[in-house]
Amino acid sequence: MNIDEMLASARATLKRAEPADAWRLQAEGALIVDIRPIGYREAEGEIPGAVPVERIHLEWRLDPASDHRLPGVRPDRPVVVVCNEGYASSLAAADLRRLGLSRATDLVGGFRAWRAAGLPVQPGGTPAVP
């Protein structure tokens, strides 16, 4: 299997969120998780209220059964994963669904699509959850 096939397989399990949908989901209580490296967040900004989690820690912080999970993570809570352009986030969201987060998805077009849609952005640089 190559990366294009892996991406297609991951996306087949997701109901991906367009920027306006992700914004609505956040207003309804969804957790927005930003997996971009801090350098990208510093340079381009962040989604207000999003929780930055480095990709290497993602499964430990969002596994509902993990002692290291973020507060409020439940199998039924919507989670929208955000990367820069919407590729790595699809793979990450599919991993979260395998962990039992049945409402995990990702943002179509990533942070750049959110910003291009004119949705709220704040200055970046928030440290990732350790």
Side-chain angles (χ1 to χ4, degrees):
M1 179 178 289
N2 65 36
I3 188 60
D4 292 329
E5 293 167 334
M6 287 177 63
L7 186 61
S9 177
R11 287 181 172 169
T13 69
L14 306 172
K15 182 179 178 193
R16 301 182 73 213
E18 294 289 336
D21 297 324
W23 191 36
R24 177 186 50 77
L25 286 167
Q26 184 184 37
E28 294 172 354
L31 178 63
I32 306 292
V33 178
D34 190 338
I35 62 170
R36 295 176 301 144
I38 192 164
Y40 283 52
R41 296 191 317 270
E42 287 173 339
E44 298 187 39
E46 299 175 355
I47 296 171
V51 177
V53 177
E54 296 288 340
R55 179 64 184 96
I56 62 170
H57 297 132
L58 185 68
E59 286 82 358
W60 285 268
R61 298 297 178 249
L62 276 89
D63 179 351
S66 172
D67 292 338
H68 304 287
R69 73 183 173 280
L70 295 171
V73 171
R74 306 179 309 278
D76 63 334
R77 184 175 185 189
V79 174
V80 180
V81 182
V82 177
C83 69
N84 212 36
E85 295 180 335
Y87 294 95
S89 59
S90 293
L91 299 171
D95 286 346
L96 294 179
R97 290 181 67 83
R98 283 191 288 277
L99 286 175
L101 294 173
S102 63
R103 297 180 69 192
T105 191
D106 77 320
L107 177 61
V108 175
F111 176 81
R112 290 184 175 170
W114 175 281
R115 187 182 61 208
L119 295 172
V121 173
Q122 68 186 23
T126 304
V129 173

